[in-house]
Amino acid sequence: MPLSLSAYIYPMASELKLGDALKQFLEKSNLKNGIRAVQIEGVWEEVMGKTIARYTDKIQIINQTLFIYTAVGPLKQELLYQKPKIIERINEALGEKVIKEVVIQ
């Protein structure tokens, strides 16, 4: 039984699941950090609590570094002390080691 033309053109297409193909695409694309930031924003309140989430202005990821922006001085100090815990909680919530460093600004 001869193979179809698509089997010759896309030999691995039938072997990849959609989720796996998307994961591979994201690993190679520039969208990865933006998607990770959206995922972190989605769990930020759950992981850090409502008060911290309310006074956090922005979250950004650049090369496995999480940048947390806030204008509240005492919160900056609190977050500085919690850096290792933030890394642990975010990575646990996402199910993989996404964050290696935290910068508070």
Side-chain angles (χ1 to χ4, degrees):
M1 177 190 228
L3 292 172
S4 68
L5 180 59
S6 64
Y8 291 107
I9 298 172
Y10 307 107
M12 296 198 47
S14 62
E15 297 176 21
L16 282 179
K17 294 181 179 177
L18 182 59
D20 294 335
L22 285 172
K23 189 178 275 189
Q24 285 181 10
F25 169 75
L26 289 175
E27 289 299 320
K28 295 176 183 176
S29 76
N30 293 331
L31 300 172
K32 186 170 67 173
N33 285 336
I35 290 171
R36 294 284 189 219
V38 169
Q39 289 175 320
I40 291 171
E41 286 175 1
V43 297
W44 185 247
E45 182 176 318
E46 177 186 325
V47 170
M48 297 305 296
K50 289 182 180 184
T51 304
I52 290 176
R54 185 179 313 130
Y55 293 106
T56 302
D57 299 323
K58 181 180 170 186
I59 299 170
Q60 184 178 22
I61 299 176
I62 301 173
N63 299 327
Q64 295 185 309
T65 299
L66 177 65
F67 291 86
I68 303 170
Y69 299 89
T70 182
V72 181
L75 179 59
K76 284 182 184 180
Q77 290 300 313
E78 180 64 29
L79 292 173
L80 284 171
Y81 292 118
Q82 290 190 28
K83 281 174 145 184
K85 227 15 167 179
I86 293 169
I87 294 169
E88 179 184 322
R89 288 178 180 173
I90 294 294
N91 288 337
E92 185 178 310
L94 296 179
E96 61 183 297
K97 196 164 190 157
V98 176
I99 303 300
K100 290 186 177 181
E101 182 61 46
V102 174
V103 175
I104 313 298
Q105 296 186 333

